[in-house]
């Protein structure tokens, strides 16, 4: 299924000017996080994720006594309340009838890849439906018996193909029944009763569906043929429904509409066009009014906001960048009045030019969530695919500093450095746009879906990746020699692979931009022993991270060094050191590559380089240049 362009979402309903900020904010979140994706990052552990999730809830006394950070939610003896486990993995959250409320933050749950059951029924949650659509593996979603309201986006369930039980009953949902429910191939139970759903019933024809309840809504029109087997019961309490099934003939008009979907389509398209026109006019009109300043400060779309002032835009231009004007539809031009949606600063136009309107129209999906923020893929109309990163943790950054930093990043050119294409500045958060790299991250290729991807990572490929990474790192160490840590966040999830398995480093050189101490500490450079023990950061921390990558690639194991609580992975550093001491290096080589027996010598040599990069004493550790030299040496062996 295709991602949905923002422009369609924009036309879903009309907005009052006062509410537009909130509305667009929601839409933009929807746009960015629209489709969930299996490539989850291993950024936080399950206990941390659940605690973070809990923090978004209120009245959690029932959980407080057993949910403790640093303990295992699935502990055999002291299992966390209301948590379902399979072995050591959380598979369900059974939070029904617990008096809970608050604004559910779904993000942390992304760190629970095995979560199958989410039950928050019969509490007092309210507001629009939380972003459950990100939880692509859910089989059961019980949110009935709350105060949820508003429309559920049409495509809400598009990426939730595992869903079997969907209970939304006894809330205040309105609008159409989301079309995407129809495409859930495994759907068994659907409870939508006692809401205010309106419009026609989409045609549910899944053979798996055994129970449907649509009672007491405001549904209308003919009951689809495909649902005749459900009898009368599920449809009661909807005065405007008709059809043989309930013994009420449909008027010709209702039938006609059904028979002519094309003419209906025309109306929808016309509606969209008119909606867009109105929106454009609305914005232009508002700008000219006295509200000019006020509106200027509001966010147009979260992350895609109205530029702060023309002066700033001009100052960016002076710095030699190209501030893009989007298509004429965006309204307003930089020179005349000077602001609008075009406040996307292009720092590198080699891959093509685009503006915010192009981005808004792009089909989007989520790539993952990391410590710095979330990443999204967006495919624009001109065919260019980009990654949009939303950086939440660079708050309060002075714009001039940020601009200067971005300009610097935009000038980087190296075959192993992911190119920054554009950025967008707003006080609360920043968006940076880079080229999209098709194969995904090294982390995913090494530890993700083994069956799919692993086979391609043979020894020559792995060696090439290590070489590329080291080469990119050396470049960064030259370019950012003055930084405490030139990269600062090197780890396998930040190494992307292009179609030729050439590695591209991402998330580099952010260290000076982050002003949140806690986040700084979650950067991978902070996993070096001297950083953990003495908060001492130096370029050698990057070398340590490179060492971890080398050991990760050689062993195929997920390093515990990536985990904050150091539980769950393999201590590759310790393992390598003892294997070297015992002269049993070849034993820890990933079986997938160990069969290339004539290369074992190379692998062992590289293992020694990895060990030299991960020596705990930074003074004893080799530097980046030496690491590259030794790695190049391996390939000559
Ligand atoms: C919520 O409460 C209702 C009414 O007591 C009950 O029928 C329903 O099964 C409950 N929902 C869940 C998921 O337990």
């Amino acid at each position: 299924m295709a991602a949905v362009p923002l422009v369609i979402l924009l036309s879903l309903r009309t907005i009052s000017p006062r509410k537009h900020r909130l509305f667009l904010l929601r839409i933009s979140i929807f746009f960015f996080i629209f489709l969930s994706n299996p490539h989850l990052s291993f950024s936080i552990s399950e206990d941390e994720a659940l605690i973070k999730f809990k923090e978004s809830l209120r009245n959690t006394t029932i959980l407080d006594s057993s949910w403790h950070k640093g303990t295992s939610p699935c502990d055999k003896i002291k299992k966390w309340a209301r948590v379902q486990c399979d072995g050591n993995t959380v598979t369900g959250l059974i939070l029904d009838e617990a008096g809970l409320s608050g604004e559910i933050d779904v993000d942390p749950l992304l760190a629970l890849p095995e979560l199958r059951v989410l039950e928050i029924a019969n509490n007092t949650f309210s507001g629009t439906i939380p972003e459950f659509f990100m939880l692509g593996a859910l089989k059961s979603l019980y949110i009935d018996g709350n105060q949820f309201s508003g429309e559920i986006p049409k495509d809400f369930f598009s990426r939730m193909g595992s869903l079997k039980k969907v209970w939304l009953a006894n809330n205040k949902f309105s609008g159409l029944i989301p079309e995407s429910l129809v495409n859930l191939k495994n759907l068994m139970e659907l409870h939508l009763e006692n809401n205010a759903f309106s419009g026609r019933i989409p045609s549910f024809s899944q053979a798996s569906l055994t129970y449907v309840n649509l009672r007491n809504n405001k549904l209308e029109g003919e009951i689809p043929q495909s649902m005749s087997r459900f009898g009368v019961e599920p449809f009661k309490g909807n005065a405007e429904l008709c059809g043989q099934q309930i013994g009420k003939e449909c008027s010709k008009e209702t039938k006609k509409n059904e028979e002519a979907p094309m003419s209906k389509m025309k109306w929808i398209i016309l509606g969209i066009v008119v909606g867009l026109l109105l929106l454009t006019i609305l914005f232009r009109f508002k700008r000219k009014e006295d509200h000019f300043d006020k509106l200027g400060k509001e966010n147009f779309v979260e992350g895609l906001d109205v530029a702060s002032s023309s002066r700033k835009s001009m100052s960016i231009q002076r710095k030699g960048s190209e501030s893009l004007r989007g298509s004429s539809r965006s309204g307003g031009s930089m020179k005349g009045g000077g602001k609008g949606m075009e406040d996307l600063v292009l720092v590198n136009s080699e891959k093509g030019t685009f503006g915010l309107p192009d981005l808004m129209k792009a089909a989007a999906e989520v790539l993952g969530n990391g410590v710095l923020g979330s990443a999204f893929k967006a495919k624009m109309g001109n065919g260019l695919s980009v990654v949009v990163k939303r950086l939440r943790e660079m708050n309060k950054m002075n714009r001039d500093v940020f601009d200067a930093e971005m300009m610097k990043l935009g000038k980087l050119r190296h075959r192993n450095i992911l190119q920054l294409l554009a950025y967008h500045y707003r006080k609360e958060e920043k968006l940076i746009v880079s080229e999209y790299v098709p194969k995904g991250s090294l982390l995913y290729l090494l530890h993700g879906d083994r069956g799919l991807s692993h086979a391609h990572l043979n020894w020559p490929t792995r060696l090439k990746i290590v070489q590329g990474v080291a080469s990119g790192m050396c470049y960064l160490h030259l370019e950012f020699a003055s930084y405490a840590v030139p990269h600062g966040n090197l780890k396998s999830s930040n190494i992307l692979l292009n179609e030729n398995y050439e590695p591209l480093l991402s998330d580099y050189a952010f260290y000076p931009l982050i002003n949140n101490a806690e986040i700084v500490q979650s950067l991978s450079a902070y996993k070096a022993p001297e950083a953990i023990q003495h908060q001492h950061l130096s370029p050698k921390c990057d070398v340590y991270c490179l060492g971890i990558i080398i050991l990760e690639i050689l062993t195929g194991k997920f390093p515990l060094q990536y985990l904050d609580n150091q539980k769950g992975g393999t201590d590759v550093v310790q393992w390598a050191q003892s294997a070297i001491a015992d002269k049993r290096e070849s034993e820890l080589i990933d079986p997938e590559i160990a069969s290339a027996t004539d290369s074992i010598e190379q692998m062992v040599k590289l293992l020694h380089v990895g060990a030299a990069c991960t020596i705990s004493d930074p003074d004893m550790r080799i530097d980046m240049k030496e690491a590259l030299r030794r790695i190049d040496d391996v390939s000559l062996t």
Side-chain angles (χ1 to χ4, degrees):
M1 108 115 243
V4 167
L6 181 63
V7 69
I8 298 287
L9 297 174
L10 275 173
S11 66
L12 281 179
R13 44 185 160 168
T14 48
I15 329 146
S16 79
R18 292 197 60 202
K19 281 196 174 159
H20 83 270
R21 178 176 175 267
L22 200 75
F23 167 72
L24 290 170
L25 194 123
R26 227 179 269 142
I27 285 247
S28 72
I29 293 172
F30 189 71
F31 159 63
F32 281 124
I33 317 184
F34 185 62
L35 300 167
S36 90
N37 168 302
H39 311 195
L40 293 180
S41 65
F42 291 77
S43 48
I44 54 174
S45 58
E46 298 205 322
D47 59 322
E48 288 171 309
L50 286 175
I51 295 291
K52 200 151 173 253
F53 169 72
K54 187 178 78 131
E55 280 164 5
S56 71
L57 310 178
R58 284 205 301 267
N59 302 331
T60 55
T61 31
I62 198 162
L63 310 175
D64 292 339
S65 57
S66 61
W67 289 34
H68 297 301
K69 204 167 171 171
T71 66
S72 165
C74 297
D75 194 284
K76 293 278 173 316
I77 300 152
K78 280 167 133 179
K79 196 171 78 65
W80 291 16
R82 307 291 196 111
V83 171
Q84 239 175 26
C85 296
D86 179 7
N88 278 325
T89 331
V90 176
T91 56
L93 286 176
I94 314 298
L95 303 173
D96 56 315
E97 289 181 58
L100 298 171
S101 60
E103 279 198 27
I104 297 179
D105 180 6
V106 181
D107 260 17
L109 300 183
L110 292 175
L112 308 173
E114 301 293 323
L115 190 68
R116 299 289 181 260
V117 183
L118 183 62
E119 189 164 332
I120 56 161
N122 299 324
N123 286 291
T124 51
F125 292 108
S126 59
T128 49
I129 188 166
E131 298 163 338
F132 297 126
F133 55 82
M134 297 194 283
L135 305 173
L138 274 194
K139 289 185 175 169
S140 307
L141 178 65
Y142 303 95
I143 64 170
D144 51 299
N146 284 288
Q147 306 284 321
F148 289 120
S149 59
E151 294 176 21
I152 303 177
K154 188 166 98 186
D155 292 293
F156 193 85
F157 298 97
S158 298
R159 285 282 172 105
M160 304 184 79
S162 308
L163 274 178
K164 291 183 171 171
K165 301 182 182 180
V166 178
W167 291 37
L168 311 180
N170 303 316
N171 280 293
K172 295 174 180 163
F173 288 120
S174 56
L176 300 176
I177 295 178
E179 202 53 63
S180 47
L181 282 170
V182 168
N183 300 322
L184 298 177
K185 290 200 179 60
N186 304 307
L187 189 64
M188 292 165 69
E189 293 175 16
L190 181 64
H191 284 262
L192 303 183
E193 68 267 26
N194 304 324
N195 280 292
F197 285 111
S198 58
R200 293 171 160 272
I201 303 174
S203 180
F204 288 91
S205 55
Q206 298 96 315
S208 57
L209 199 57
T210 54
Y211 185 92
V212 182
N213 193 340
L214 309 178
R215 289 170 76 157
N216 303 323
N217 279 290
K218 295 177 177 158
L219 299 167
E220 59 184 44
E222 188 167 23
I223 298 173
Q225 283 287 298
S226 60
M227 301 181 77
S228 57
R229 66 192 160 106
F230 295 111
V232 189
E233 284 301 319
F235 306 102
K236 285 185 171 164
N238 291 283
E240 304 296 320
L241 278 182
C242 62
Q244 247 179 353
Q245 189 159 354
I246 54 171
K248 188 173 153 196
E249 216 189 310
C250 296
S251 70
K252 285 210 182 82
E253 185 126 320
T254 15
K255 281 209 159 148
K256 220 173 171 181
N257 276 346
E258 193 138 273
E259 280 156 15
M262 276 320 289
S263 75
K264 214 167 140 193
M265 202 61 202
K266 270 184 212 155
W267 282 109
I268 293 174
I269 291 171
L270 189 68
I272 291 172
V273 171
V274 170
L276 277 171
L277 274 174
L278 282 175
L279 234 118
T280 313
I281 292 166
L282 179 83
F283 276 108
R284 290 206 166 168
F285 181 67
K286 289 301 283 183
R287 275 186 203 143
K288 283 177 192 150
E289 279 192 342
D290 303 339
H291 305 50
F292 185 99
D293 279 341
K294 191 167 158 264
L295 198 77
K297 278 176 203 136
E298 279 191 84
N299 316 321
F300 177 57
V301 166
E302 189 179 6
L304 307 179
D305 77 344
V306 173
S308 35
S309 77
S310 56
R311 186 191 58 77
K312 277 176 184 162
S313 301
M314 298 311 280
S315 81
I316 294 167
Q317 275 199 322
R318 256 187 276 119
K319 280 175 195 151
S321 80
E322 213 177 316
S323 220
L324 277 191
R325 231 160 292 155
S327 64
S328 56
R329 199 174 310 164
S330 67
S333 91
M334 276 232 327
K335 284 165 206 136
K339 57 175 205 71
M341 291 149 54
E342 59 272 79
D343 192 28
L344 185 74
V345 184
L346 204 73
V347 294
N348 176 349
S349 55
E350 284 169 19
K351 307 269 164 183
T353 55
F354 53 91
L356 271 188
D358 304 305
L359 256 188
M360 304 228 334
K361 279 183 282 182
E365 61 184 287
V366 172
L367 290 175
N369 281 289
V371 283
L372 296 177
S374 332
F376 314 93
K377 177 189 173 189
K379 185 165 195 235
M380 287 182 286
N382 63 4
L384 179 63
S385 287
V386 295
V387 172
V388 181
K389 271 204 175 176
R390 178 202 264 167
L391 303 171
R392 288 196 209 91
E393 300 301 341
M394 297 184 178
N395 306 343
K396 300 175 210 143
M397 172 73 46
N398 169 316
R399 171 139 202 178
D400 291 336
V401 178
F402 192 79
D403 285 338
E405 212 60 42
M406 290 297 122
M407 289 308 146
K408 214 166 9 167
L409 297 187
K411 290 206 184 83
L412 297 178
R413 295 289 184 278
H414 186 278
R415 63 191 296 212
N416 299 114
I417 300 293
L418 185 74
Q419 294 210 336
L420 177 72
L421 300 179
Y423 70 93
H424 171 78
Y425 176 96
R426 199 158 56 88
K427 210 160 165 204
E428 300 76 35
E429 74 176 358
K430 284 88 201 148
L431 294 182
I432 60 171
V433 183
S434 331
E435 56 185 315
Y436 172 72
V437 184
K439 287 254 183 286
S441 72
L442 178 62
L443 175 107
Y444 176 67
L445 286 176
L446 275 178
H447 317 291
D449 198 336
R450 283 214 154 208
L452 265 183
S453 55
H454 209 63
H456 304 295
L457 287 187
N458 58 18
W459 170 245
T461 306
R462 292 190 198 201
L463 182 55
K464 180 170 104 178
I465 293 172
V466 173
Q467 273 183 300
V469 171
S471 163
M473 288 303 285
C474 265
Y475 175 74
L476 291 178
H477 275 229
L478 279 176
E479 292 291 319
F480 299 105
S482 63
Y483 285 16
V485 270
H487 188 301
N489 203 18
L490 179 67
K491 54 184 173 180
S492 55
S493 59
N494 286 337
I495 298 172
L496 307 174
L497 300 172
N498 73 9
E499 53 282 277
N500 304 317
Y501 292 94
E502 187 74 54
L504 290 161
L505 306 181
S506 73
D507 261 18
Y508 45 81
F510 286 159
Y511 171 72
L513 297 177
I514 304 168
N515 51 6
N516 175 329
E518 207 177 313
I519 298 296
V520 165
Q521 299 210 353
S522 61
L523 294 179
S524 67
Y526 251 90
K527 304 294 189 277
E530 70 273 22
I532 295 177
Q533 284 157 24
H534 314 293
Q535 272 66 54
H536 175 65
L537 281 188
S538 75
K540 290 280 182 77
C541 295
D542 272 348
V543 177
Y544 187 86
C545 298
L546 174 68
I548 300 292
I549 300 276
I550 292 175
L551 300 177
E552 182 182 359
I553 285 183
L554 280 170
T555 61
K557 293 278 192 279
F558 183 77
L560 71 70
Q561 280 78 8
Y562 288 158
L563 301 166
D564 282 339
N565 58 4
Q566 308 237 317
K567 273 193 299 195
T570 304
D571 188 344
V572 287
V573 174
Q574 179 58 40
W575 198 26
Q577 277 168 7
S578 50
I580 289 172
D582 299 347
K583 301 222 174 333
R584 299 192 318 193
E585 293 97 326
S586 57
E587 286 176 17
L588 49 63
I589 304 294
D590 186 348
E592 300 254 359
I593 50 170
S595 54
T597 43
D598 49 349
S599 304
I600 291 288
E601 197 188 331
Q602 277 189 336
M603 298 176 201
V604 170
K605 212 166 160 189
L606 186 61
L607 185 76
H608 282 259
V609 181
C613 291
T614 49
I615 292 175
S616 349
D617 181 351
D619 294 331
M620 306 287 287
R621 200 178 300 152
I622 58 177
D623 67 10
M624 199 54 85
K625 229 168 116 192
E626 176 64 10
L628 177 61
R629 195 193 62 74
R630 291 197 195 182
I631 292 164
D632 283 340
D633 225 31
V634 170
S635 63
L636 299 175
T637 305

